[in-house]
Amino acid sequence: MDIQMHLSGGSSFPCHTPEEFMVLARAGLSDPVLGDIHLGHVQLCPQNFGGGILDESRVAALQAAYPDTRFRLHANARILEEPCSYDLGTAHRFPEYTARLVDMLRFLGGPYSIHAASNGMPIMDQIMMANILSKQAGVPVAIEGLYPSLRPGNTVSTWDGYAELLEHNVYFVVDLSHLNIVRQAEGEPPAGLVESLLGHPRCIEVHVSGNDGAIN
């Protein structure tokens, strides 16, 4: 199977605007282990602030400049003037963000990934919210699992929590660096769990980055 790695602006170019990091990325990107990093799909992340909000006109300009790239939003990307801590545990507190998010997802026509709750909201409520967003926007909306934290409340942050994603009709994202933190906290995963997550048809993204497994 030919697997291509694609660019996340947030992890590769934090604090750069999309316009800035696309110029840098166009020169070519590669990882000594993973190989070439492609620009067929590019995530616009909350770390890519500056230059104004991400609205239809700005994304259309990016799309015109890079017609071979499909841009997609991630997490609480800056689509409003005021930033907010938007995840599946706080979405009900920010209806204005939800409204703009749905508009932007309809405009982009591509998948979107959002973090699991950091306030202990029950997983079934989060799944319901993700599926509501998906239905409203007409695109897959996926839950990105988290990891144990010094501040209790992260959901989908244990091996049991990740296994539960497989039991429900919801899209999801696997961040391998998050799984490394779970492994450090709980030990090795149950046999076959990671393989089942990565190979599942509802897994729409796999995020790759590095950490030392420490809980912070």
Side-chain angles (χ1 to χ4, degrees):
M1 180 184 297
D2 182 21
I3 299 176
Q4 290 188 345
M5 303 298 297
H6 293 269
L7 177 65
S8 168
S11 58
S12 298
F13 295 102
C15 302
H16 287 73
T17 68
E19 293 82 4
E20 291 169 343
F21 77 65
M22 286 301 293
V23 170
L24 297 172
R26 185 165 53 182
L29 296 171
S30 65
D31 180 272
V33 175
L34 302 173
D36 291 339
I37 299 174
H38 298 265
L39 301 181
H41 297 271
V42 171
Q43 276 191 335
L44 306 176
C45 301
Q47 297 93 328
N48 305 125
F49 54 83
I53 63 172
L54 288 168
D55 59 12
E56 289 87 347
S57 61
R58 188 176 181 192
V59 174
L62 282 168
Q63 196 67 74
Y66 303 96
D68 295 328
T69 297
R70 293 290 304 273
F71 293 96
R72 59 175 70 178
L73 298 180
H74 174 58
N76 57 324
R78 189 69 65 84
I79 58 176
L80 295 177
E81 292 290 348
E82 293 296 323
C84 65
S85 300
Y86 190 85
D87 63 24
L88 284 171
T90 62
H92 63 285
R93 291 169 39 197
F94 301 107
E96 67 282 5
Y97 191 98
T98 297
R100 281 300 297 140
L101 176 63
V102 168
D103 286 344
M104 286 296 293
L105 295 180
R106 288 174 177 169
F107 178 77
L108 288 165
Y112 165 68
S113 50
I114 180 172
H115 292 137
S118 60
N119 64 358
M121 177 175 283
I123 185 61
M124 291 309 301
D125 291 347
Q126 297 181 64
I127 289 172
M128 183 182 302
M129 184 66 203
N131 286 335
I132 288 171
L133 287 172
S134 182
K135 184 175 181 179
Q136 289 176 333
V139 301
V141 171
I143 299 176
E144 179 180 342
L146 297 175
Y147 45 84
S149 171
L150 295 177
R151 296 181 296 174
N154 283 358
T155 54
V156 193
S157 59
T158 64
W159 293 131
D160 285 346
Y162 278 94
E164 191 170 0
L165 290 178
L166 297 172
E167 299 174 7
H168 301 290
N169 183 29
V170 65
Y171 295 105
F172 60 87
V173 169
V174 175
D175 186 312
L176 295 178
S177 70
H178 294 179
L179 296 192
N180 188 42
I181 302 174
V182 179
R183 184 182 67 84
Q184 292 283 5
E186 296 194 340
E188 296 301 320
L193 175 59
V194 174
E195 293 81 356
S196 294
L197 288 165
L198 296 178
H200 200 282
R202 292 197 305 272
C203 178
I204 67 168
E205 293 174 357
V206 177
H207 297 174
V208 181
S209 59
N211 61 44
D212 60 4
I215 297 175
N216 51 41

